[in-house]
Amino acid sequence: MTGMTKSDGKQKAAVAVSVQNVNMTFDGFHAVDSASFDLDQGRFLTILGPSGSGKTTLLRMIAGFQKPSSGEIFINGAPVSAAPPHKRSVGMVFQKLALFPHMTAAENVAFPLKMRRFDATTIPERVQRYLDLVQLGSYADRRIHQLSGGQQQRVAIARALVFEPDLLLLDEPLAALDRKLREEMQLEFRRIQRELGVTTINVTHDQREALVVSDEVVVMDKGRIQQMASPTATYRTPANAFVAGFIGVTNFLNGTVKSTAGQEVIFAAGEREFIGHWSAAAGAPTVSANVVGALRAEQVRMATSADELGQCRTVLSAAVTDAIFEGERTAYEVTVGMDGNIIRVFDHDPAAHKQFGIGEAVFIGWNPQDVMIYPN
Amino acid sequence: MTAPLSKSIVIWVMVGLVLLTLSAPTVVVLGASFTSGNIIVFPPNGFSLQWYGKIASDVGLRGAFMRSLTVAAICTVIAIPVGTLAGIALAKYAIKFERSLQVYLLLPFTIPLIGSGIGLMLLFGQMGILGQIWPIGIACCVINLPFMIWAVTASAANLDPDLELAAANCGAPPIATFFHVTLPAVMPGVISGSLLMFILALNEFLVSLLLTDARTVTLPVQIYNSIRSIITPDLAAISVVFIACAAIIIALLDRLVGLDIFLKSK
Ligand SMILES: Nc1ncnc2c1ncn2[C@@H]1O[C@H](COP(=O)(O)OP(=O)(O)O)[C@@H](O)[C@H]1O
Ligand SMILES: [Mg+2]
């Protein structure tokens, strides 16, 4: 991921953005801590992390609003730290959109073209083309406050794209929308990005959005990049316990290593022993080390008798403590045996399955290959 | 159940009293200006426009009125750039002298105008510019500038800092950002502030009294001079002209920025 230089980029797809060892400290506080990644031309990257993890700070450094304390950012191979924001070819959609309230939709979209000295005779045609692209062709003369939330989003996208920037930045612009509109706009971002092929860095704290829209996902926590991988790999093979817990609904079993055989680990949690496999990106399991086993809620099976769970190598008896019908699935919480561990279980396709009630005695089971083990 | 009703009655009576008190001087002077008699009384003695005719044909008054307009215009023209920049700077940046500037903004309420007036009179006297009109405009600007700064600061405080970043992101260098984004955003404050400056300068009396002489006398001073001889209904008519000027400006304000914005300014 690191050590990228200008000449490396020429072999396969060209590297559009290269962030190299970038730090940002505020009075000794590391908002961004040694961030490094490369993003190829035309790719859609999502930076995913909880609030306060440094996502906005990283994005603002790429846009040029803040100068890194150390490290360098390259856009199309050229270092940009010395360039002020208005000299960078970067379009940004702000979290609160930051549309110019005294201008119409068309004037907002025309503004970057005027500022970047595009040939004035071509501006109206280009503005119309981009308003059409975001399906606002007939709203050109509306003032910003006369547009709905979703329409304002679209104006902001058009304004960020109209001058054909090398890079598009999205700072959680969908966070304020209701769920339906948000999901609609996620797909809209994806459509426009594919249509134009513009390299995009999106920021969100919404794991679903990260998985749905991106080619690649960077997970951030406490200013550090935890993992960079495809959405599938991020979900299936998290690099550490934080990523495993942040994406998806995950059960954690804390324990100590009893024995190891290659990547397979047997560990004791409470009075029980479980089997899992070492999943951390680095290191290896050692006996009596503290570890945590991570298990997705959808990998846990549930049945009335242990026999029905024949295909599971690990089977436990449990009692249902909560059952929430969510339409496409039922989400259960069960308490395991006497050590009181709570396990979350997703049962998909509930229509064909038995619905369990609160207080019911059940058996749950899973397979060791679904238990991902990380150092604790 | 009756408590809210009696409460609302009390509130409405209070509101009525306040409105009455506030409008009483205006109503009285308006009425008195239409009297057909020779003494200033309310209610007026009959109806006529004779006093308006009299002030319209009074060369001295007309000259004083024109001078007052000039003073107000000079004051406003200076206040707009100075007050706008100061107001934006105060709202946006952590300024070194913010404390002193805030004290300065309180000055109009703490230093008696007569004090500022004497100071300015001495200063202008030494510079040898007394006896001209434009120094009076500058004086009005100096003593009232805090109102302008306040109006702009109130607008600028609501300015989303991301707007300026967005402009930079669109490729606008700092000066273009200022003219295309920052200035339009604080425009309501600039407009209400400058109209306020204009009214204050038009009505300014005490400082002008010290800075004017027979050739440069402004309207309020001129009125004061005639009160010292005899109070006649033409004074009521002049007052109505003043009130009309203020009303025109308030109407302008309403047209340009909407009074709701003005009233919301903190
Ligand atoms: N200008 C600043 N001064 C001091 N601390 C800041 C500043 N900007 C951000 N921070 C801190 O840096 C951390 C990361 O902030 P941010 O990048 O906004 O996180 P995110 O966008 O992931 O929610 C936060 O703890 C925030 O308080
Ligand atoms: Mg943020």
Side-chain angles (χ1 to χ4, degrees), chain A residues 55-56 95 171-172 203:
Chain A
K55 308 181 297 290
T56 296
Q95 179 153 11
D171 186 6
E172 304 206 38
V203 156

Side-chain angles (χ1 to χ4, degrees), chain B residues 53-246:
Chain B
K54 183 150 182 288
I55 60 171
S57 60
D58 185 323
V59 182
L61 273 181
R62 275 220 318 263
F65 184 59
M66 292 318 287
R67 277 190 292 277
S68 271
L69 285 179
T70 312
V71 164
I74 292 172
C75 162
T76 311
V77 164
I78 299 171
I80 287 174
V82 176
T84 303
L85 290 177
I88 291 174
L90 197 64
K92 270 184 51 188
Y93 306 106
I95 306 185
K96 272 221 179 78
F97 309 108
E98 193 167 352
R99 257 234 133 78
S100 347
L101 205 54
Q102 263 156 3
V103 171
Y104 167 70
L105 289 178
L106 285 172
L107 275 183
F109 303 100
T110 50
I111 296 197
L113 279 179
I114 190 80
S116 331
I118 290 173
L120 286 163
M121 184 175 73
L122 292 175
L123 187 70
F124 290 168
Q126 288 209 331
M127 294 165 70
I129 51 174
L130 275 181
Q132 287 172 282
I133 304 264
W134 62 266
I136 307 171
I138 293 184
C140 289
C141 182
V142 168
I143 57 174
N144 292 325
L145 195 61
F147 292 105
M148 177 81 195
I149 297 180
W150 256 328
V152 176
T153 308
S155 273
N158 299 329
L159 174 69
D160 178 1
D162 277 358
L163 274 188
E164 290 172 340
L165 295 181
N169 184 254
C170 288
I175 291 179
T177 298
F178 178 81
F179 282 107
H180 289 291
V181 172
T182 316
L183 201 53
V186 300
M187 207 34 109
V190 174
I191 292 174
S192 46
S194 39
L195 291 178
L196 192 61
M197 291 299 281
F198 192 87
I199 294 192
L200 288 172
L202 195 65
N203 293 347
E204 208 293 319
F205 166 64
L206 200 49
V207 171
S208 308
L209 182 66
L210 295 166
L211 296 180
T212 52
D213 57 26
R215 290 160 299 146
T216 58
V217 65
T218 55
L219 193 54
V221 180
Q222 176 86 344
I223 296 170
Y224 173 71
N225 287 341
S226 40
I227 293 175
R228 278 192 300 189
S229 40
I230 181 168
I231 301 187
T232 45
D234 55 351
L235 287 178
I238 296 170
S239 308
V240 171
V241 171
F242 265 120
I243 293 168
C245 286

Side-chain angles (χ1 to χ4, degrees), chain A residues 12-309:
Chain A
K12 28 182 190 102
V15 172
V17 188
S18 178
V19 172
Q20 296 185 9
N21 248 312
V22 164
N23 286 280
M24 188 69 189
T25 46
F26 298 112
D27 302 321
F29 171 78
H30 288 260
V32 173
D33 194 352
S34 317
S36 294
F37 65 83
D38 287 348
L39 181 63
D40 284 346
Q41 206 93 55
R43 306 279 283 172
F44 194 121
L45 171 80
T46 295
I47 302 177
L48 172 68
S51 181
S53 56
K55 308 181 297 290
T56 296
T57 307
L58 184 52
L59 214 61
R60 284 177 177 240
M61 289 190 285
I62 297 172
F65 304 144
Q66 282 171 337
K67 218 174 147 56
S69 311
S70 67
E72 183 59 270
I73 294 163
F74 297 83
I75 298 179
N76 285 344
V80 293
S81 282
H86 65 274
K87 298 242 169 85
R88 299 188 186 189
S89 178
V90 173
M92 178 151 172
V93 180
F94 288 75
Q95 179 153 11
K96 284 181 278 163
L97 301 186
L99 294 168
F100 306 127
H102 57 286
M103 299 182 194
T104 63
E107 285 165 349
N108 266 279
V109 179
F111 187 73
L113 301 176
K114 290 190 179 129
M115 289 302 123
R116 291 173 189 267
R117 306 195 184 288
F118 277 60
D119 177 2
T121 56
T122 66
I123 291 181
E125 178 273 325
R126 188 183 262 268
V127 167
Q128 192 57 46
R129 185 147 49 86
Y130 275 83
L131 283 174
D132 288 341
L133 176 76
V134 296
Q135 296 166 359
L136 278 184
S138 51
Y139 294 85
D141 296 326
R142 295 278 187 98
R143 297 222 156 236
I144 297 309
H145 65 86
Q146 293 170 324
L147 296 171
S148 72
Q151 291 167 335
Q152 293 183 7
Q153 296 278 344
R154 291 163 186 271
V155 177
I157 300 167
R159 186 182 69 180
L161 287 172
V162 70
F163 60 98
E164 290 174 8
D166 292 338
L167 178 62
L168 173 66
L169 303 178
L170 309 168
D171 186 6
E172 304 206 38
L174 304 180
L177 299 183
D178 61 71
R179 188 177 148 177
K180 192 162 173 296
L181 191 54
R182 190 166 68 232
E183 290 178 359
E184 190 184 310
M185 289 305 296
Q186 286 168 359
L187 298 177
E188 188 73 2
F189 274 137
R190 193 74 188 117
R191 173 184 74 81
I192 293 169
Q193 196 269 342
R194 289 229 173 96
E195 208 165 313
L196 300 179
V198 59
T199 313
T200 302
I201 300 181
N202 173 43
V203 156
T204 186
H205 61 264
D206 177 352
Q207 47 153 311
R208 201 193 113 84
E209 177 182 327
L211 297 179
V212 168
V213 300
S214 330
D215 297 318
E216 286 181 81
V217 179
V218 159
V219 181
M220 267 186 97
D221 183 42
K222 300 197 179 77
R224 288 188 155 270
I225 291 181
Q226 306 291 325
Q227 185 170 16
M228 178 171 177
S230 72
T232 330
T234 309
Y235 191 83
R236 297 244 169 93
T237 54
N240 57 37
F242 173 81
V243 177
F246 193 67
I247 300 180
V249 174
T250 310
N251 297 297
F252 286 106
L253 304 160
N254 295 307
T256 51
V257 175
K258 285 281 164 215
S259 65
T260 68
Q263 294 302 96
E264 194 165 278
V265 179
I266 297 179
F267 68 105
E271 304 122 41
R272 294 174 208 283
E273 289 196 350
F274 297 102
I275 313 173
H277 64 99
W278 187 252
S279 303
T286 49
V287 172
S288 80
N290 286 327
V291 292
V292 59
L295 175 66
R296 302 281 192 209
E298 72 271 17
Q299 305 292 3
V300 186
R301 302 275 166 272
M302 199 157 109
T304 348
S305 70
D307 300 340
E308 292 169 58
L309 297 173

